[in-house]
Amino acid sequence: MTNTATTSNGKLNFLRVAALLAAIGSLISPLLATGPLSGSGPLHAMHGMVGNLNFVLALVASIAGIVWGRASGNKGLMFHALSLPLLAVIQIALGQMHLTMVHIVLGFAYLLAAVALFTLALRKPRA
């Protein structure tokens, strides 16, 4: 027999860990952006790889948001989590099109969204 409070806590912990990973990825990416901004080289390739990893982490965070949103009824946090992969796909497309300034601005928006998701998930009380 599964206690619903325990199940809900597990889903919230899944969301917190996924949001933390997405936030860490979003913090690493601008640090590696110094390479692409100054030309090409190993940091350019690493920035692109971390960007792709951010997309995967955003997908995991959105899945965690859906799982926890269904269990808790909190749709706001779920939709916040669902915005991350959308922003990540747009970021990847902008980077591939070499639209640097728009890519940078949206990158900071993605960073804020990922960190906000983590902090909001931390604020949710345990069941």
Side-chain angles (χ1 to χ4, degrees):
M1 183 169 182
T2 304
N3 184 349
T4 57
T6 305
T7 304
S8 180
N9 281 340
K11 292 174 183 175
L12 181 57
N13 285 336
F14 176 42
L15 175 60
R16 287 175 175 167
V17 170
L20 175 63
L21 293 174
I24 290 171
S26 72
L27 291 169
I28 292 172
S29 194
L31 297 175
L32 295 174
T34 57
L37 290 176
S38 64
S40 61
L43 287 181
H44 186 319
M46 288 175 60
H47 178 72
M49 286 187 281
V50 169
N52 292 335
L53 177 63
N54 282 338
F55 173 67
V56 172
L57 294 174
L59 280 176
V60 172
S62 68
I63 291 168
I66 291 169
V67 167
W68 188 77
R70 286 184 177 170
S72 70
N74 186 334
K75 301 300 180 198
L77 196 57
M78 179 182 78
F79 286 120
H80 186 120
L82 286 170
S83 73
L84 285 184
L86 178 64
L87 288 172
V89 165
I90 295 169
Q91 265 299 88
I92 292 169
L94 291 171
Q96 292 295 321
M97 291 186 289
H98 302 289
L99 297 172
T100 306
M101 290 312 297
V102 181
H103 179 74
I104 290 170
V105 170
L106 189 64
F108 281 114
Y110 178 82
L111 184 146
L112 291 174
V115 171
L117 178 64
F118 174 63
T119 57
L120 289 170
L122 281 180
R123 290 175 40 189
K124 294 296 172 194
R126 294 187 180 271

